[in-house]
Amino acid sequence: MRLSSFFCKQIFRLSGWTVDTNLPPEIKKSIIIAAPHTSNWDFWYAMASFTIYRLRIRFTIKKEWMRFPFGLLMRPLGGIGIDRRPRTAGAERISFVEAMIDLFHQNEELIILITPEGTRSRQEKWKTGFYHVALGAGVPICLGYVDYKNKKAGIGKVIYPTDFATDMRTIMDFYRNI
């Protein structure tokens, strides 16, 4: 179900869109923020731009969505079912952040797309689990975007998490005009 890089480049070119090419090729594991997330079209523009990058982008979803018949669509699109059941009988259910950190530890290459706003409307306050996942897994945060005004999509910047307040300020400053 994946589109070819050539096909996506042609669609972007014909529609007047360009792709930002700031992603360092050595990055094999990362969190990509998809913001602002204001339309269902964001997913398709983002996936097309990442296809041009030749990246296999994944996204997390509740494990129940990976069952038949939804799994037939979700798997080829890059869906990964998150299972938060306790690791041992009688233990507490693991957090979403812990489950995602485990995914990074279990895979040699993994790039996960996250929408930190948690909704398809512009939000001033984001959920910050993406930051804690990146920090816990030791992976960078790539600032992905779809800018409808300038018809541009891609990765604008890469952040290696160190200090929450400073890093969040840098991230929010990047998205201020997108």
Side-chain angles (χ1 to χ4, degrees):
M1 185 173 269
R2 293 192 60 200
L3 299 173
S4 77
S5 178
F6 174 78
F7 180 70
C8 289
K9 283 180 186 177
Q10 298 313 310
I11 290 173
F12 264 56
R13 186 181 60 77
L14 291 171
S15 62
W17 279 74
T18 58
V19 177
D20 199 336
T21 56
N22 292 328
L23 185 66
E26 68 274 5
I27 292 180
K28 303 296 181 210
K29 290 184 180 185
S30 70
I31 294 286
I32 295 181
I33 297 174
H37 181 36
T38 57
S39 163
N40 286 328
W41 285 102
D42 296 346
F43 177 79
W44 301 107
Y45 281 112
M47 293 310 270
S49 68
F50 298 136
T51 297
I52 292 169
Y53 280 128
R54 297 181 193 268
L55 294 176
R56 172 106 166 102
I57 302 299
R58 312 294 301 274
F59 61 93
T60 55
I61 192 165
K62 289 172 67 171
K63 69 178 174 65
E64 288 79 12
W65 279 91
M66 298 305 285
R67 294 185 189 141
F68 184 82
F70 304 111
L72 296 174
L73 177 63
M74 294 299 164
R75 270 185 204 84
L77 287 174
I80 300 175
I82 294 291
D83 185 358
R84 295 180 51 205
R85 287 181 294 187
R87 293 179 181 141
T88 57
E92 285 188 35
R93 193 169 105 154
I94 64 172
S95 73
F96 192 77
V97 168
E98 290 172 307
M100 288 189 61
I101 289 171
D102 286 348
L103 280 175
F104 278 104
H105 291 308
Q106 295 165 10
N107 292 277
E108 285 188 38
E109 292 186 13
L110 183 61
I111 299 175
I112 296 181
L113 184 69
I114 295 178
T115 57
E117 292 166 305
T119 181
R120 279 182 307 279
S121 61
R122 191 173 189 101
Q123 301 291 313
E124 296 304 316
K125 187 165 175 60
W126 289 2
K127 296 180 179 195
T128 58
F130 73 90
Y131 187 89
H132 301 291
V133 170
L135 189 63
V139 300
I141 301 167
C142 300
L143 308 186
Y145 67 95
V146 175
D147 185 348
Y148 291 95
K149 179 181 173 192
N150 296 306
K151 288 189 165 187
K152 193 170 189 176
I155 306 292
K157 194 175 213 175
V158 178
I159 306 280
Y160 291 86
T162 54
D163 174 67
F164 180 79
T166 303
D167 294 339
M168 285 304 292
R169 202 168 22 259
T170 301
I171 292 168
M172 297 311 280
D173 284 346
F174 173 80
Y175 286 108
R176 191 167 322 283
N177 295 318
I178 295 176

